[in-house]
Amino acid sequence: TGYHNAATTTHKDYYLVPFEKVLDLVAHRKVFLKRGIAYVHQSDLTTLVLATFSAYLRQCLKEAEKTRSEDDRVSPLLAALSERAATFTGYTYNPNLQNTARVHPSQLDQFAATGMLPLCMKNMHLKLRENHHLKHSARMQYGLFLKGIGVSLEDSIEFWKSEFTRKMDSEKFERDHAYNIRHNDGKKGHGVDYSPYGCYKIINDSNPGANEHHGCPFKTFTEKQLRSE
């Protein structure tokens, strides 16, 4: 039932890949299978790209883990990525690892400038620095990422406060934003310790509207924008 209408598609609309690369599509009967090959319609390529990217990133993290002790400047980020920010690779955030590595907000500008942040996070970080504000969806996406790579709750609150109070007073920040940061860390509300968003959720979330900067740039940016990055 998931097949596309043969009357409106041609062989050029499909990509042939080993079925194990698109198991999610196979499970939902969205591909035609023949001799171990899945015929993937171009509209379903997101699943293939996500799976390929996750596998590649997982391998890169393993390689980074082997060399992280060779450069003290990047070891905190590599440790955090390999141990906790596996939101990109399908692993679950483990708060018990929270004290094994730390990232301080003062490092984020360097990470953004040297390509050490994922493009989506770099985009939100730069927009936050430029506008001293992010809307709710971007605050959630970027804030949980910072938590995942090892920014402490206290440092996170100070980081957001230092930006937002350029456009609002401290009282308004505490009232409207500090509570949500503590809530995402499980310190308020029902005590749920929220995990960073994975690529699958980010890609399939709603597209950013006017003055919004969340989401996946590989989905929402133009080719020109991507090349400029």
Side-chain angles (χ1 to χ4, degrees), residues 25-136:
L25 295 179
V26 173
H28 290 86
R29 300 183 180 181
K30 299 187 70 175
V31 294
F32 172 75
L33 291 176
K34 182 178 181 181
R35 296 180 180 178
I37 299 298
Y39 290 66
V40 181
H41 191 264
Q42 60 185 9
S43 63
D44 293 320
L45 282 180
T46 296
T47 298
L48 175 60
V49 172
L50 178 58
T52 303
F53 173 74
S54 296
Y56 175 72
L57 181 57
R58 199 156 43 234
Q59 182 60 38
C60 288
L61 288 175
K62 290 180 180 178
E63 294 299 320
E65 181 68 21
K66 297 176 183 178
T67 61
R68 76 183 195 190
S69 61
E70 298 176 4
D71 192 335
D72 293 336
R73 296 173 301 174
V74 299
S75 60
L77 180 65
L78 292 178
L81 280 173
S82 61
E83 293 173 352
R84 289 191 307 283
T87 173
F88 310 108
T89 62
Y91 299 115
T92 301
Y93 171 72
N94 184 355
N96 294 325
L97 297 174
Q98 192 169 11
N99 294 319
T100 60
R102 290 291 191 192
V103 170
H104 192 270
S106 62
Q107 298 172 274
L108 295 174
D109 286 336
Q110 178 189 3
F111 292 164
T114 55
M116 294 171 64
L117 292 181
L119 185 55
C120 55
M121 304 305 169
K122 173 186 175 182
N123 177 54
M124 289 182 288
H125 179 76
L126 295 180
K127 291 299 181 182
L128 175 62
R129 287 301 207 195
E130 177 185 347
N131 302 318
H132 312 300
H133 187 268
L134 288 176
K135 291 193 174 182
H136 176 74

